[in-house]
Amino acid sequence: VSRHTARVRGALLVAPGDTEALELKDRLPGWSPIARQALPFRSILVGSQTDPYCTAAWAQTLAQDWGALWVDLGAAGHINADSSLGDWPQGQALLQTLLKD
């Protein structure tokens, strides 16, 4: 736990990789096991039904474990700069919900 946790207003978590899956474990050494306790701040986890790096079911499990709101973008693939989302107004709106007091 960081000594700065109390300063965090919220976390917008987007497209987590399943670092415990064999295909990612070697590419991201030291990232597993994934912490599974509730986060001490508000959070939203955004995922996709077609993300090749993390199944929607696993992302939903992580959201539940972390106490995060799950947002499903449908068949969006891996959500990153190559996802053709541009400035991603939906992401901006989600972030604003976390910044409200």
Side-chain angles (χ1 to χ4, degrees), residues 15-32 51-54 78:
D18 183 355
T19 60
E20 294 177 7
L22 293 177
E23 55 273 4
L24 284 184
K25 200 170 204 163
D26 292 336
R27 292 174 63 184
L28 298 168
W31 285 50
S32 60
D51 189 334
Y53 302 112
C54 184
H78 185 62

Side-chain angles (χ1 to χ4, degrees), residues 1-6 37-41:
V1 175
S2 170
R3 61 188 168 106
H4 301 289
T5 301
Q37 69 269 17
L39 299 174
F41 39 77

Side-chain angles (χ1 to χ4, degrees), residues 21-70:
L22 293 177
E23 55 273 4
L24 284 184
K25 200 170 204 163
D26 292 336
R27 292 174 63 184
L28 298 168
W31 285 50
S32 60
I34 297 172
R36 304 283 296 274
Q37 69 269 17
L39 299 174
F41 39 77
R42 294 181 297 166
S43 57
I44 299 171
L45 192 151
V46 181
S48 163
Q49 292 292 320
T50 56
D51 189 334
Y53 302 112
C54 184
T55 67
W58 183 243
Q60 285 177 301
T61 297
L62 291 174
Q64 183 176 4
D65 290 348
W66 293 338
L69 172 67
W70 163 249

